């Protein structure tokens, strides 16, 4: 373990958070409100013993149940108010996939020649940038020309990234109508 150094990369933050100043006021308010709810439920419990007719008892019981439900709902929301924070997100610091990688992935999947009734492909890109959406739309437009060309010319490697790469020259054989990629 002596030879290992600690990795100290200073990457930009994805978000920051800070405590809001009204935290103490929220806690005091919650204490006062909890005391008021306990007092209300205690008053309902005492009044339930004093009713002589069943109709007033039943009505009072329904009000008591409604107040218990209300108290439960209020108590479950207090965790958000005991330590309120303010967040600031920095989406520009997220690492996004290059649009050409997205386009090549989409075109490679579209190039599969499977029957559509047997298999479906769904491409999901979670970055959500406008540039990536534009890249998907352009890939779909390009695919309407590229894929019929590949099928007609018997192009085996249908990824445009490989096909148009400078280190992989290609030749068109006019007799067989095949494109051969020299690797």
């Amino acid at each position: 373990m002596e030879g290992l150094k600690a990795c100290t990369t200073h990457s930009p933050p994805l978000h920051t958070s800070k405590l809001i100043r009204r935290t103490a006021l929220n806690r005091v308010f919650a204490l006062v409100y909890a005391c008021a709810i306990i007092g209300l439920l205690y008053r309902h419990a005492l009044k339930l013993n004093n009713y002589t007719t069943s109709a007033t008892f039943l009505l009072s019981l329904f009000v008591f149940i409604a107040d218990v439900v209300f108290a439960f709902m209020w108590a479950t929301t207090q965790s958000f108010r005991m330590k309120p924070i303010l967040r600031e997100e920095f989406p520009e610091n997220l690492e996004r996939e290059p649009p050409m990688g997205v386009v090549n992935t989409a075109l490679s999947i579209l190039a599969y020649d499977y029957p559509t009734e047997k298999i479906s492909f769904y491409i999901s890109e979670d970055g959500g940038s406008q540039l990536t959406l534009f890249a998907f739309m352009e890939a779909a437009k390009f695919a309407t020309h590229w894929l019929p060309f590949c099928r007609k010319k018997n192009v085996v490697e249908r990824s445009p990234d490989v096909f148009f790469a400078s280190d992989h020259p290609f030749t068109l054989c006019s007799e067989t109508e095949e494109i051969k990629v020299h690797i």
Side-chain angles (χ1 to χ4, degrees), residues 48-124:
L48 281 176
N49 291 335
N50 297 338
Y51 291 113
T52 57
T53 63
S54 62
T56 56
F57 175 77
L58 193 59
L59 182 63
S60 180
L61 181 64
F62 285 145
V63 171
F64 177 73
I65 291 172
D67 283 341
V68 167
V69 169
F70 167 71
F72 175 76
M73 290 172 45
W74 176 83
T76 57
T77 62
Q78 291 312 300
S79 62
F80 302 111
R81 294 184 182 108
M82 291 297 111
K83 191 175 178 183
I85 58 172
L86 182 64
R87 291 191 189 273
E88 184 178 0
E89 292 84 17
F90 304 108
E92 64 273 3
N93 294 340
L94 291 173
E95 293 183 18
R96 302 209 187 274
E97 188 174 355
M100 277 310 295
V102 171
V103 167
N104 288 326
T105 301
L107 287 173
S108 296
I109 289 175
L110 288 172
Y112 283 120
D113 200 14
Y114 287 120
T116 56
E117 66 274 357
K118 291 186 178 181
I119 191 167
S120 298
F121 292 102
Y122 296 95
I123 301 173
S124 173

